[in-house]
Amino acid sequence: MGHLFRHQEGDAAPPPAIANIPAPQASTIDYDWILISGFIIVLTQVGFAFIEAGSVRYKNSQSIVIKVILGLFLTILIWWLFGYGFSFGYDFQTNFMGGTKLGGYNWEATQFGNDYTNFVFRASGAAIAVSVLSGAAAERMTFLAWSILAIVYAGFIYAGLAHWTLAQGWLTTLGYKDFSGAGVVFFAAGVAGLVVTVLLKPRRFRFDPNTTLQFQRHSPIYIAFGSILVFAGWLFYNGGIVAQGANSKYTLRISSSQYFGCWSHWWILCLHHQIFLIRNHKFGCLVQSAATDDMKPWTAFIYGLLAAVFYSVLAKVIPKVHIDDPVEVVPVFLGNGFLGIFLSAFFDTKAGIIYGFGAKLLGMQLLGLLIIFVWVAFFVLITLLILKGFGVLRIDSETESVGIDKAHCLGEAIVFANQVDEAPLIQKTELVQLGNSQIGSGFRPGFR
């Protein structure tokens, strides 16, 4: 049996199975951290699905979940083909957009860099931007139009912005600072959402003063569940950005401080609670926390208070100008993305105004926001106008009345025993041309 123990002899070589195991290196620990962060960020899609399903009328809740899932997988596919290369490929010293590593070509995994791990993390971040955008298109956009928009946005529009900023491209070289995407992820998605919801126009009868149609969010509980999942995923996104788990220790405290500031403001002024408002204040905090890592913990509370005020104002203004934004993408993401980048010019400990560094960073932040706005708005508008020209942008009136779930998803997610169908009410309303619309959002006693 001596041959079974030859690996214990000092002059014998180890068995091939042991000899082929590479020696552990310190850098692989950080790669594992990034990879795990990317996996958990993907789970935020569950959170977005809950939030968006709970924010729309019940008859469209299944379709919006399908769009979230569809956006996730289309983003991963297009990022493998183009997005990752455009964002993190070599740009031939142009600092504009990468042109290598397309379709997984020449990806490497060494102690100096790991394209496979980075792809998982960055693609999951791109999927967050696409999910934010899906909320603005809720209850109105066709599946085909949404698929095309998701591909164009993730694979080109967002990929270009990511190269300019997150990959140290020309905007970062110019002096613009964006730690983990307050501008490039959230503000940009908010701008895209604004263009989408304006071009799609409001849902039928949404701002009709004579209608009795109810547009309440059908499930605040879904919104609460989704908010917790997105919050947890956001901790890993900020932690993954720094590429070291040891450097992400303040994320939870800063986010919680900002949320407490928001909640305090809202409770003092309004003396009541609502899950949707709590969720939006919390998201406003998370969006702002993406602006900078060079901030003192006490400034997080200030950010939270200002986020609450900014969100509250925008949330009241948007409906007054007849912009139909079911998930409030514009006030939460566009508004607080702008505010986070703007405030970083004052509170950044390495370049902020209040620390004596002058207004240079403020100028760069405002310039960066302007460039992001123009880039996103232009290409999203062009994409939507082409889709509209082909007649595939918005669902037809009949589908909107019946509900996308019934028209295209083989029925609603759950059918209640006491459910009353909207179709007869719609037909009756349109036939007699009543002044007051009797259309409901799928009226169910006890489930309104």
Side-chain angles (χ1 to χ4, degrees), residues 97-116:
M97 190 172 289
T100 62
K101 301 186 178 182
L102 303 175
Y105 183 71
N106 278 347
W107 285 13
E108 296 180 325
T110 69
Q111 60 179 326
F112 304 107
N114 190 323
D115 287 312
Y116 300 95

Side-chain angles (χ1 to χ4, degrees), residues 312-323:
S312 300
V313 171
L314 285 178
K316 292 182 180 297
V317 170
I318 294 300
K320 290 186 180 297
V321 296
H322 288 190
I323 294 177

Side-chain angles (χ1 to χ4, degrees), residues 292-375:
T292 178
D293 57 335
D294 297 319
M295 62 184 291
K296 297 289 186 181
W298 64 266
T299 62
F301 191 82
I302 305 299
Y303 271 50
L305 290 175
L306 294 175
V309 174
F310 207 59
Y311 161 76
S312 300
V313 171
L314 285 178
K316 292 182 180 297
V317 170
I318 294 300
K320 290 186 180 297
V321 296
H322 288 190
I323 294 177
D324 189 11
D325 188 5
V327 192
E328 293 195 347
V329 168
V330 176
V332 174
F333 296 100
L334 187 154
N336 281 291
F338 170 86
L339 189 61
I341 296 295
F342 178 77
L343 290 178
S344 67
F346 293 87
F347 293 103
D348 190 291
T349 58
K350 296 180 180 178
I353 293 175
I354 68 171
Y355 291 96
F357 292 97
K360 180 181 178 180
L361 181 59
L362 176 61
M364 291 299 100
Q365 300 298 74
L366 292 175
L367 176 62
L369 290 170
L370 176 61
I371 291 170
I372 291 171
F373 185 94
V374 173
W375 171 269

Side-chain angles (χ1 to χ4, degrees), residues 133-441:
L133 182 55
S134 68
E139 302 194 79
R140 287 160 291 174
M141 185 175 279
T142 66
F143 283 105
L144 175 60
W146 167 245
S147 300
I148 295 173
L149 178 62
I151 290 172
V152 173
Y153 189 83
F156 176 70
I157 299 173
Y158 172 77
L161 294 177
H163 187 78
W164 301 352
T165 55
L166 303 179
Q168 305 297 310
W170 70 273
L171 260 183
T172 299
T173 303
L174 198 64
Y176 172 81
K177 293 189 68 173
D178 191 352
F179 168 55
S180 63
V184 67
V185 178
F186 296 117
F187 175 74
V191 171
L194 176 63
V195 176
V196 167
T197 192
V198 169
L199 200 61
L200 283 174
K201 297 181 180 180
R203 291 166 289 180
R204 294 180 69 200
F205 307 108
R206 173 65 179 87
F207 297 110
D208 185 347
N210 298 316
T211 188
T212 59
L213 176 59
Q214 300 295 324
F215 285 89
Q216 291 105 331
R217 300 165 184 94
H218 93 272
S219 180
I221 302 302
Y222 281 5
I223 296 172
F225 291 162
S227 300
I228 295 171
L229 287 169
V230 173
F231 173 59
W234 184 245
L235 300 180
F236 281 89
Y237 186 72
N238 270 0
I241 284 289
V242 299
Q244 292 178 322
N247 287 342
S248 61
K249 54 190 175 183
Y250 296 114
T251 303
L252 179 63
R253 188 173 72 183
I254 289 174
S255 297
S256 297
S257 297
Q258 287 180 312
Y259 171 66
F260 183 75
C262 277
W263 174 82
S264 300
H265 162 84
W266 186 258
W267 184 80
I268 291 171
L269 290 184
C270 302
L271 295 177
H272 69 271
H273 310 284
Q274 187 179 19
I275 288 177
F276 187 75
L277 296 175
I278 292 173
R279 167 260 173 183
N280 283 350
H281 280 92
K282 179 58 191 170
F283 272 26
C285 296
L286 296 179
V287 169
Q288 288 197 41
S289 71
T292 178
D293 57 335
D294 297 319
M295 62 184 291
K296 297 289 186 181
W298 64 266
T299 62
F301 191 82
I302 305 299
Y303 271 50
L305 290 175
L306 294 175
V309 174
F310 207 59
Y311 161 76
S312 300
V313 171
L314 285 178
K316 292 182 180 297
V317 170
I318 294 300
K320 290 186 180 297
V321 296
H322 288 190
I323 294 177
D324 189 11
D325 188 5
V327 192
E328 293 195 347
V329 168
V330 176
V332 174
F333 296 100
L334 187 154
N336 281 291
F338 170 86
L339 189 61
I341 296 295
F342 178 77
L343 290 178
S344 67
F346 293 87
F347 293 103
D348 190 291
T349 58
K350 296 180 180 178
I353 293 175
I354 68 171
Y355 291 96
F357 292 97
K360 180 181 178 180
L361 181 59
L362 176 61
M364 291 299 100
Q365 300 298 74
L366 292 175
L367 176 62
L369 290 170
L370 176 61
I371 291 170
I372 291 171
F373 185 94
V374 173
W375 171 269
V376 173
F378 177 78
F379 284 106
V380 170
L381 182 61
I382 292 297
T383 303
L384 296 180
L385 288 176
I386 293 174
L387 293 170
K388 185 176 181 179
F390 282 99
V392 297
L393 178 62
R394 179 166 174 152
I395 59 176
D396 56 62
S397 298
E398 182 179 355
T399 298
E400 188 169 356
S401 299
V402 173
I404 303 175
D405 289 2
K406 281 188 175 181
H408 297 291
C409 304
L410 300 180
E412 295 180 340
I414 301 173
V415 178
F416 296 102
N418 58 350
Q419 178 171 327
V420 177
D421 199 346
E422 284 186 357
L425 294 175
I426 294 168
Q427 293 169 2
K428 180 179 178 181
T429 299
E430 293 179 344
L431 284 173
V432 300
Q433 297 180 347
L434 295 176
N436 291 329
S437 171
Q438 301 301 312
I439 303 173
S441 59

Side-chain angles (χ1 to χ4, degrees), residues 34-35 79 84 88 114-123:
I34 296 172
L35 189 63
W79 257 67
Y84 184 74
F88 297 97
N114 190 323
D115 287 312
Y116 300 95
T117 295
N118 196 40
F119 168 77
V120 171
F121 182 79
R122 297 298 181 174

